[in-house]
């Protein structure tokens, strides 16, 4: 407190001051009580905001590096690497699998090392995929398996999401978690849109709706890698100077892994496959889907025909990212389960609409083989597109606006569902704490803190399982049981539609349908 006086003859009056967060060395905060309204308003809110801002920055870079292959794989052929569509789909899928698998250890690392410390480490790890990428794409003899290994290291960026979300979950009170986690996730998800928008521009492959022309000097993929390597260094320094560790976020691994026994961890994992798995999977596959079905350009020296994927590939990730905080806000207001049901309903309608548009497309012939591409590159003036190819491309280009519009609606639903499901996770564990303790009791306060720790651990596990969808979707688009690429795309969307129906039914049955005779405050209805 401070001492104030109103004059020389008046008594000294004690004036209370705002409680301060107790700190120690290494930017550790020992006293953190976000559920205390006075502490939150006077002390915690600005600290939480500062950590959220730099968490978003680091996570944004992680997502960009994670999805760098979604666009760069399309340009590999233009840079002289003769890979088949099957190889390219697998290349964009590998980072998603690795990113999913490492999310659990990344989440556990927050409790062990501290959120600020782990942000520095995880941002520094992004130098591995970026620098190795910069070298490999400049070596014409780099074999396919080396690209697969480098793509796997890009999965480090996918782990950043889990640790970032687990960390920010500790900073905010329950009534603000949906919005805070939504903003944190949206800022990260925007990394997908940004890399897909600007990578074609940076490397000289045109972009931004054709406003930027292709470089006359050809494609230089290494430029994008150098840019993001530099930004990773910035993220390390920003975390060092501006972020904090929370002592009450520290917990042992056994306690965190106890959420594996909670059945709702696995129910929410299923739902998150449908929301986030769809977002990241569609984002990774969209550039290739547009290129294979709507665009033809055998070599950069030949003018392309149809819809250039570089102009539109980023739009899906952009819409899904912007919609995510909206989903969190709506979940805060109306309940996560209700918004999640609406999101899955939209996904069912959207994928059915895409199936209708796919029925109007014509199958495009495969790209020329390596020898044919070399011949075209040697004498591009002598090349002309067959009439059948031009007719098919023009037909598909007429369908593209409808296809794109419906696909963007699907992305919006994935974003809203991402925000609403992440609101549900802490709400479920908080409901356990509230039901088991008395209001206003010390046991309630301890139980709520323990619920926050458990929900942060669950975020990592649920995020890991959900991200596997990002691997399965590109693989399904290249369905090995279907030979024609267009037929494989139709088969994939049929499978996705059926899965969304299952997710809708599960959400409604578990989290919305009130059972007869159940008490009003029992179960997880309306979380």
């Amino acid at each position: 407190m401070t001492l104030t006086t109103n004059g020389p003859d008046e008594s000294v009056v004690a004036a209370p001051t705002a409680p301060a967060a107790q700190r120690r060395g290494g930017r550790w905060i020992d006293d953190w009580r976000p559920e205390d309204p006075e502490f939150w308003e006077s002390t915690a809110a600005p600290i939480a905001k500062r950590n959220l801002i730099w968490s978003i920055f680091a996570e944004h870079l992680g997502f960009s590096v994670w999805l760098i292959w979604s666009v760069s794989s399309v340009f590999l052929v233009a840079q002289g690497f003769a890979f088949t569509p099957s190889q390219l789909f697998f290349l964009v899928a590998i980072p998603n699998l690795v990113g999913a698998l490492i999310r659990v250890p990344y989440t556990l690392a927050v409790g062990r090392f501290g959120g600020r410390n782990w942000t520095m480490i995880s941002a520094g790890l992004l130098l591995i995929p970026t620098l190795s990428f910069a070298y490999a794409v400049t070596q014409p003899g780099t074999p396919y398996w080396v690209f697969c290994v480098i793509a796997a290291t890009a999965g480090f960026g996918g782990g950043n999401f889990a640790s970032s979300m687990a960390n920010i979950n500790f900073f905010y009170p329950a009534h603000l978690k949906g919005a805070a986690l939504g903003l944190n996730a949206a800022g990260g998800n925007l990394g997908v849109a940004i890399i897909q928008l600007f990578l074609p521009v940076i490397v000289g492959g045109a972009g931004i709706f054709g406003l930027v022309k292709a470089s006359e000097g050809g494609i230089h993929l290494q430029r994008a890698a150098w840019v993001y390597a530099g930004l990773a260094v910035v993220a390390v320094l920003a975390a060092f100077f501006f972020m904090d560790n929370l002592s009450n976020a520290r917990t042992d691994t056994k306690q965190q892994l106890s959420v594996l026994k909670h059945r709702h961890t696995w129910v929410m994992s299923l739902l998150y496959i449908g929301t986030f798995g769809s977002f990241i999977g569609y984002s990774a596959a969209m550039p290739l889907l547009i290129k294979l079905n709507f665009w033809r350009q055998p070599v950069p020296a030949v003018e392309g025909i149809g819809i250039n994927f570089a102009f539109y590939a980023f739009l899906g990730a952009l819409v899904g990212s912007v919609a995510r905080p909206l989903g969190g806000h709506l979940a805060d207001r109306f309940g996560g389960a209700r918004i999640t049901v609406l999101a899955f309903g939209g996904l069912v309608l959207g994928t059915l609409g895409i199936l209708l548009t796919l029925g109007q497309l014509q199958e495009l012939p495969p790209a020329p083989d390596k020898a044919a591409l070399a011949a075209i590159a040697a004498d591009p003036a002598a090349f002309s597109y067959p009439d059948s190819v031009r007719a098919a491309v023009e037909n598909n280009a007429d369908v593209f606006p409808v296809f794109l519009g419906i696909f963007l609606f699907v992305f919006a639903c994935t974003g809203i569902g991402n925000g609403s499901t992440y609101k549900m996770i802490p709400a479920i564990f908080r409901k356990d704490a509230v039901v088991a303790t008395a209001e206003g009791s010390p046991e309630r306060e301890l139980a709520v803190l323990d619920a926050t720790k458990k929900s942060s651990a669950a975020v990592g596990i649920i995020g890991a399982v959900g991200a596997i969808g990002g691997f399965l979707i590109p693989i399904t688009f290249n369905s090995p049981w279907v030979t024609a690429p267009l037929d494989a795309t139709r088969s994939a969307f049929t499978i996705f539609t059926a899965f969304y129906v299952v997710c809708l039914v599960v959400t409604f049955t578990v989290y919305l349908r009130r059972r007869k005779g159940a008490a009003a405050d029992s179960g997880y209805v309306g979380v």
Side-chain angles (χ1 to χ4, degrees):
M1 63 179 59
T2 60
L3 297 179
T4 63
T5 64
N6 295 323
D9 298 325
E10 295 177 342
S11 59
V12 176
V13 179
T17 60
Q22 296 179 10
R23 292 178 177 273
R24 56 187 168 90
R27 295 192 70 93
W28 284 93
I29 298 178
D30 294 321
D31 180 22
W32 190 254
R33 294 170 280 114
E35 301 295 344
D36 181 337
E38 180 184 359
F39 183 84
W40 172 255
E41 292 295 335
S42 61
T43 304
I47 296 175
K49 182 179 180 181
R50 172 166 45 79
N51 278 269
L52 175 61
I53 290 172
W54 292 108
S55 174
I56 289 174
F57 177 70
E59 186 191 342
H60 177 93
L61 294 181
F63 264 93
S64 295
V65 173
W66 192 19
L67 270 292
I68 196 172
W69 286 97
S70 68
V71 182
S72 60
S73 63
V74 182
F75 285 111
L76 284 175
V77 175
Q79 198 158 335
F81 297 96
F83 297 146
T84 66
S86 176
Q87 289 176 311
L88 294 177
F89 269 118
F90 186 68
L91 202 58
V92 303
I94 293 174
N96 294 341
L97 178 62
V98 175
L101 295 177
I102 67 173
R103 283 187 164 196
V104 173
Y106 266 55
T107 301
L108 300 178
V110 171
R112 185 168 184 83
F113 300 103
R116 172 248 193 185
N117 295 345
W118 185 251
T119 300
M120 293 168 55
I121 295 171
S122 59
L125 288 174
L126 297 180
L127 293 173
I128 298 175
T130 51
L131 296 180
S132 57
F133 177 95
Y135 175 78
V137 296
T138 60
Q139 307 301 311
T142 302
Y144 177 72
W145 70 265
V146 172
F147 280 117
C148 289
V149 173
I150 296 172
T153 65
F156 293 158
N160 286 15
F161 173 83
S163 56
S164 178
M165 295 293 277
N167 183 43
I168 293 303
N169 186 43
F170 283 100
F171 277 93
Y172 280 83
H175 70 283
L176 295 177
K177 285 185 188 292
L181 293 175
L183 285 172
N184 191 55
N189 291 172
L190 275 172
V192 182
I194 294 299
I195 193 71
Q196 292 181 338
L197 172 62
F198 286 109
L199 185 142
V201 177
I202 294 171
V203 305
I208 313 182
F209 302 108
L211 297 177
V212 180
K213 295 182 179 180
S215 170
E216 294 182 359
I219 304 299
H220 302 279
L221 283 172
Q222 69 274 15
R223 293 176 182 171
W226 285 116
V227 169
Y228 279 91
L231 290 174
V233 174
V234 174
V236 173
L237 295 175
F240 178 80
F241 288 109
F242 303 117
M243 294 187 70
D244 301 284
N245 301 305
L246 296 180
S247 296
N248 64 1
R250 303 199 72 168
T251 184
D252 60 64
T253 301
K254 183 177 180 180
Q255 180 185 22
Q256 288 183 293
L257 292 179
S258 66
V259 299
L260 291 171
K261 301 177 182 179
H262 202 299
R263 72 183 183 95
H264 288 278
T265 299
W266 300 107
V267 176
M268 292 304 302
S269 295
L270 173 71
L271 303 184
Y272 204 56
I273 291 175
T275 57
F276 180 77
S278 296
F279 168 80
I280 206 68
Y282 291 147
S283 296
M286 192 172 183
L288 277 173
L289 284 177
I290 296 175
K291 182 178 185 293
L292 292 174
N293 294 294
F294 299 97
W295 173 251
R296 278 296 177 267
Q297 185 182 29
V299 295
V302 173
E303 184 177 357
I305 58 174
I307 305 297
N308 192 335
F309 64 92
F311 301 169
Y312 301 96
F314 75 96
L315 287 174
L318 177 64
V319 169
S321 301
V322 172
R324 182 156 190 160
L326 173 63
H329 172 73
L330 292 174
D332 282 339
R333 184 172 181 181
F334 301 107
R338 293 185 181 90
I339 303 304
T340 301
V341 163
L342 291 176
F344 280 123
L347 285 170
V348 172
L349 294 176
T351 48
L352 287 174
I354 290 176
L355 281 170
L356 290 176
T357 63
L358 292 176
Q360 303 175 45
L361 297 182
Q362 294 182 19
E363 186 79 54
L364 298 184
D369 58 26
K370 189 173 183 178
L373 288 174
I376 296 171
D379 188 11
F383 175 79
S384 62
Y385 293 97
D387 291 341
S388 59
V389 173
R390 285 189 175 276
V393 169
E394 290 173 0
N395 171 81
N396 291 0
D398 291 338
V399 181
F400 181 75
V402 178
F403 170 85
L404 180 64
I406 298 175
F407 216 150
L408 294 183
F409 172 75
V410 168
F411 269 103
C413 292
T414 66
I416 291 172
N418 286 339
S420 60
T421 50
Y422 255 68
K423 165 64 177 177
M424 293 172 67
I425 297 169
I428 289 170
F429 286 92
R430 181 178 174 80
K431 187 67 176 285
D432 288 338
V434 169
V435 170
T437 57
E439 184 176 358
S441 65
E443 291 78 13
R444 168 70 61 84
E445 183 176 348
L446 292 174
V448 169
L449 175 59
D450 184 60
T452 302
K453 292 181 178 181
K454 288 182 178 179
S455 65
S456 292
V459 159
I461 294 168
I462 293 167
V465 177
I468 291 176
F471 171 75
L472 296 176
I473 283 179
I475 294 298
T476 308
F477 278 130
N478 191 41
S479 308
W481 58 86
V482 182
T483 55
L486 184 56
D487 289 341
T489 303
R490 294 192 188 102
S491 173
F493 275 107
T494 301
I495 295 171
F496 301 152
T497 303
F499 180 71
Y500 296 143
V501 171
V502 172
C503 290
L504 189 155
V505 172
V506 169
T507 307
F508 177 80
T509 302
V510 177
Y511 298 113
L512 283 182
R513 185 170 64 89
R514 201 174 292 277
R515 292 164 177 78
K516 293 182 178 179
D521 61 347
S522 64
Y524 301 89
V525 174
V527 294

